[in-house]
Amino acid sequence: MLRIRVPSARSDEELIEAAAAGDGQALSALYDRYAAAVYSLALRIVRNPEAAKEVTQEVFLSFWRRPGRFDRSRGSGRAWLLSLAHHRAVDVLRRTRVRQAASLSEETAGSSEDWTEEVVTALESARVREALEALPPSYREVLVLAYYGGLTQREVAERLGIPLGTVKTRMRDGLLKLRSLLGGGRDT
């Protein structure tokens, strides 16, 4: 059966006091009067329709459970209900942010594969640096300029003032020596 709600002629304060005394119709009238405003305020804060609905329900449920908290001397009934909505919505937003931060922390801590890859990469990089240090300076210089400096063989030749053929030979011999030092082949 469809229930038609008739707006109450009583003031907010009268409805709050009546609801505080256990009048369910007074609470229903307050809900009809302010649920949209409470929801709208909550939605602006939490930016999530479902969370805003929950905030709206929590505000009116909280009032129903502890109706004596309203103090007429501190402001209007409307301001009090919207203040409750604001505080609840901010609490929801904080909890959401804490959960997101915890989730991100767990994802970061839980991704052992990523962490393992980083460690392996760092160890390999350290091994390559050590092997580069063991190369003769002429080999090391052309390899570093080419691979770490991003220069072409021609640019390396120009930078060092040596023939292109010499750069090519040093790079080939340096790479072969590097492979041998890293355990990937035989020394030539």
Side-chain angles (χ1 to χ4, degrees):
M1 182 161 157
L2 182 63
R3 181 176 164 205
I4 298 175
R5 298 191 186 258
V6 178
S8 176
R10 295 194 278 183
S11 72
D12 294 343
E13 289 75 18
E14 290 172 334
L15 288 172
I16 289 171
E17 288 173 4
D23 182 349
Q25 288 181 339
L27 179 63
S28 181
L30 278 170
Y31 185 87
D32 291 344
R33 194 176 284 178
Y34 291 112
V38 167
Y39 173 80
S40 178
L41 176 63
L43 183 61
R44 276 184 274 153
I45 294 170
V46 299
R47 301 188 185 280
N48 178 319
E50 290 303 312
K53 285 179 190 175
E54 288 179 26
V55 167
T56 303
Q57 289 175 350
E58 286 177 16
V59 165
F60 287 98
L61 186 60
S62 171
F63 168 68
W64 182 249
R65 287 183 178 155
R66 296 183 61 207
R69 294 189 312 170
F70 173 66
D71 182 1
R72 227 183 238 228
S73 66
R74 296 184 69 203
S76 70
R78 178 181 194 280
W80 180 68
L81 284 171
L82 291 176
S83 174
L84 286 176
H86 178 267
H87 292 298
R88 291 278 179 173
V90 169
D91 288 345
V92 166
L93 192 61
R94 284 185 187 136
R95 280 193 306 263
T96 302
R97 287 184 178 161
V98 166
R99 272 191 232 116
Q100 288 172 342
S103 175
L104 181 61
S105 175
E106 287 173 9
E107 286 176 18
T108 304
S111 61
S112 62
E113 289 179 14
D114 293 340
W115 181 79
T116 304
E117 275 184 35
E118 288 179 30
V119 169
V120 168
T121 301
L123 289 173
E124 287 175 354
S125 294
R127 216 171 130 227
V128 168
R129 278 192 300 273
E130 286 176 19
L132 274 170
E133 288 299 318
L135 290 177
S138 60
Y139 293 162
R140 182 176 51 244
E141 188 175 36
V142 295
L143 291 174
V144 167
L145 286 173
Y147 289 99
Y148 292 104
L151 301 178
T152 65
Q153 291 177 337
R154 186 174 306 283
E155 291 168 332
V156 171
E158 289 171 5
R159 165 117 11 127
L160 297 178
I162 56 176
L164 180 58
T166 303
V167 169
K168 289 180 178 186
T169 301
R170 288 181 183 174
M171 283 187 74
R172 186 197 74 220
D173 292 347
L175 287 171
L176 290 171
K177 181 79 173 156
L178 195 59
R179 180 188 297 167
S180 174
L181 291 169
L182 293 172
R186 59 179 186 249
D187 192 13
T188 54

